[in-house]
Amino acid sequence: MPPYISAFQAAYIGIEVLIALVSVPGNVLVIWAVKVNQALRDATFCFIVSLAVADVAVGALVIPLAILINIGPQTYFHTCLMVACPVLILTQSSILALLAIAVDRYLRVKIPLRYKTVVTQRRAAVAIAGCWILSLVVGLTPMFGWNNLSVVEQAWRANGSVGEPVIKCEFEKVISMEYMVYFNFFVWVLPPLLLMVLIYLEVFYLIRKQLNKKVSASSGDPQKYYGKELKIAKSLALILFLFALSWLPLHILNCITLFCPTCQKPSILIYIAIFLTHGNSAMNPIVYAFRIHKFRVTFLKIWNDHFRCQPKPPIDEDLPEEKADD
């Protein structure tokens, strides 16, 4: 343990702890809500649970590791590399979960009559498993060799040292910026984000097209269906927007580091970018609570049943969908 922690470090640690204290309970509540309410068991909410699991891990694992790195312990190179990789895995998992959610909403409005036969619980589970496996491969790529070991070893041996290098553990010291920019950002972050934007634009176009059709006496249910889909699509598009807003600044800073090594990056900008990425894990439960009625009523039921000791009547798990998402 270092002998001294500056006031700036103490403030950083305090903010990170606050984010974790919001993120972990909030996302556990999301998972809990899906578990207790059968109305939250369709494919979209399964993908939302996968996203919530990643956000719980950010608060419970990534933030403590980030605090550790900020303190700057002396570690072996590969130990530091193992500390740096979890955030890469969880970020990729979040992106793929968001992409799965976007595709799911597209299918709901593109093939509404065949949706339930095409998107089954089993297929959703397979998709979630595939997303996590791919995230592990992408996030652990630095462990397979795409890292800064050769550069660190060169400096280590120049000082006459032998064995595995011992370094002050810092993210940029072990993770290659070529990996972060060319592979992580240009392949696995930016293209999926652009694809999701296009998908949501198409979703909104299809919904508006249906809602603009003349309403006949027998078309009430389709109108309600697409009206409900529009509300949910807006909420999930907001989740995507917040994710992009939270993560793009850090990736832009990585690009500056790679393409302009002599450029000075103010420390305050780096810390703001880091806070945004970690803070994103705490945003989603707040959006769900304010924007999606099914989550809101389930959150309130959990609160009343388990924390206020004033149980309310059980929520109607077969609540009509159009009412549940008003």
Side-chain angles (χ1 to χ4, degrees):
M1 183 175 178
Y4 173 74
I5 296 178
S6 67
F8 188 82
Q9 283 180 310
Y12 167 80
I13 292 170
I15 295 172
E16 289 281 37
V17 169
L18 180 62
I19 292 172
L21 290 176
V22 175
S23 175
V24 174
N27 284 286
V28 168
L29 189 61
V30 170
I31 298 168
W32 193 350
V34 175
K35 182 177 185 301
V36 301
N37 188 352
Q38 290 286 346
L40 295 172
R41 296 288 179 85
D42 66 18
T44 297
F45 297 110
C46 291
F47 295 130
I48 285 176
V49 166
S50 179
L51 183 60
V53 169
D55 287 339
V56 169
V58 169
L61 177 64
V62 170
I63 287 179
L65 292 178
I67 292 173
L68 183 66
I69 288 177
N70 182 260
I71 293 173
Q74 296 288 325
T75 68
Y76 288 112
F77 180 90
H78 282 95
T79 301
C80 184
L81 194 59
M82 290 178 63
V83 169
C85 281
V87 68
L88 302 174
I89 297 169
L90 297 172
T91 304
Q92 195 57 51
S93 174
S94 297
I95 291 170
L96 294 177
L98 288 169
L99 181 57
I101 290 169
V103 172
D104 176 72
R105 302 322 293 185
Y106 172 75
L107 293 175
R108 286 185 72 96
V109 298
K110 185 67 175 179
I111 53 169
L113 298 179
R114 294 191 295 121
Y115 171 79
K116 288 187 178 180
T117 60
V118 173
V119 183
T120 63
Q121 288 278 357
R122 180 181 179 84
R123 288 174 179 171
V126 170
I128 291 170
C131 288
W132 278 99
I133 291 170
L134 186 56
S135 300
L136 285 168
V137 172
V138 173
L140 291 177
T141 295
M143 294 294 297
F144 303 144
W146 198 346
N147 53 53
N148 289 334
L149 180 59
S150 59
V151 176
V152 172
E153 278 186 333
Q154 186 176 358
W156 179 254
R157 289 169 183 166
N159 291 331
S161 303
V162 295
E164 182 176 0
V166 176
I167 61 171
K168 181 181 179 181
C169 188
E170 296 174 350
F171 187 86
E172 291 186 11
K173 190 167 287 186
V174 294
I175 300 294
S176 164
M177 277 298 114
E178 286 81 3
Y179 161 82
M180 286 300 302
V181 173
Y182 292 126
F183 186 68
N184 188 274
F185 184 45
F186 287 168
V187 176
W188 292 105
V189 174
L190 194 57
L193 286 177
L194 294 176
L195 179 59
M196 282 184 270
V197 170
L198 294 176
I199 290 173
Y200 276 111
L201 289 175
E202 180 67 11
V203 167
F204 290 130
Y205 169 76
L206 291 172
I207 293 174
R208 290 296 184 185
K209 184 178 177 182
Q210 293 294 330
L211 291 176
N212 288 336
K213 288 182 177 179
K214 290 183 179 179
V215 182
S216 65
S218 61
S219 64
D221 287 342
Q223 289 294 117
K224 290 179 181 179
Y225 176 84
Y226 285 106
K228 180 203 69 170
E229 287 300 320
L230 179 61
K231 292 175 183 177
I232 296 181
K234 286 180 178 178
S235 299
L236 297 174
L238 176 60
I239 295 291
L240 172 61
F241 172 76
L242 291 173
F243 184 89
L245 188 68
S246 299
W247 280 96
L248 286 178
L250 187 60
H251 282 289
I252 291 170
L253 289 175
N254 288 338
C255 290
I256 293 173
T257 300
L258 179 63
F259 298 128
C260 184
T262 59
C263 294
Q264 295 295 320
K265 298 178 296 183
S267 296
I268 188 65
L269 288 182
I270 296 174
Y271 278 104
I272 289 173
I274 292 172
F275 288 142
L276 282 173
T277 61
H278 294 168
N280 180 252
S281 65
M283 297 176 189
N284 293 349
I286 298 172
V287 174
Y288 301 149
F290 281 97
R291 300 276 306 183
I292 300 179
H293 184 78
K294 286 180 182 177
F295 269 119
R296 184 163 61 251
V297 296
T298 310
F299 289 165
L300 289 173
K301 174 179 168 53
I302 291 171
W303 173 259
N304 288 322
D305 285 357
H306 298 277
F307 299 100
R308 291 185 63 189
C309 298
Q310 296 177 3
K312 287 188 175 182
I315 55 175
D316 185 358
E317 294 179 347
D318 297 321
L319 195 65
E321 289 191 351
E322 62 270 20
K323 180 180 178 182
D325 292 296
D326 285 344

